[in-house]
Amino acid sequence: MSEHACAGEAAGDSPGYTAQKENYAKRLRRIEGQVRGIAKMIDEDKYCIDVLTQISAVNSALQSVALGLLDEHLGHCVSHAVAAGGEEADAKLAEASAAIARLVRS
């Protein structure tokens, strides 16, 4: 895992999503339960389309979490870096661009 900090902050300071941390944790626990449910469907030889439908729902839920985290990152870490300017801004913009590219490919 990465130990990056936002612009002007020391490593260990709160990430941009801290205010929504419990919400993200709750959503991820729900997704975890959905994944366990899919594994149970496979164990019980459920109909392929039903399994695929549940996989699609999990993918959508994960995308939603990822987009929320990305939005928090852009609004907190990247905006602070851009306001500060310099190499930090360039690095944070490149990092965000790479994260967006990974999300688009997934």
Side-chain angles (χ1 to χ4, degrees):
M1 245 186 261
S2 183
E3 290 290 331
H4 297 281
C6 288
E9 296 178 351
D13 283 350
S14 297
Y17 62 83
T18 299
Q20 296 295 320
K21 183 177 179 177
E22 188 54 40
N23 181 42
Y24 286 123
K26 186 187 306 180
R27 291 168 70 185
L28 289 168
R29 284 190 297 271
R30 189 177 309 124
I31 292 167
E32 182 182 19
Q34 286 178 285
V35 171
R36 278 195 298 271
I38 293 169
K40 184 177 177 187
M41 290 175 77
I42 295 291
D43 288 342
E44 295 173 355
D45 296 320
K46 296 295 182 183
Y47 184 56
C48 299
I49 298 301
D50 293 340
V51 175
L52 291 170
T53 298
Q54 291 306 309
I55 290 171
S56 177
V58 166
N59 284 334
S60 293
L62 282 171
Q63 279 284 21
S64 178
V65 169
L67 290 173
L69 287 169
L70 178 62
D71 186 57
E72 300 277 356
H73 182 67
L74 292 172
H76 185 259
C77 297
V78 176
S79 66
H80 286 136
V82 169
E87 290 181 22
E88 179 84 26
D90 293 340
K92 288 293 179 190
L93 288 169
E95 180 184 61
S97 179
I100 292 166
R102 285 190 303 273
L103 284 173
V104 169
R105 284 192 300 265
S106 66

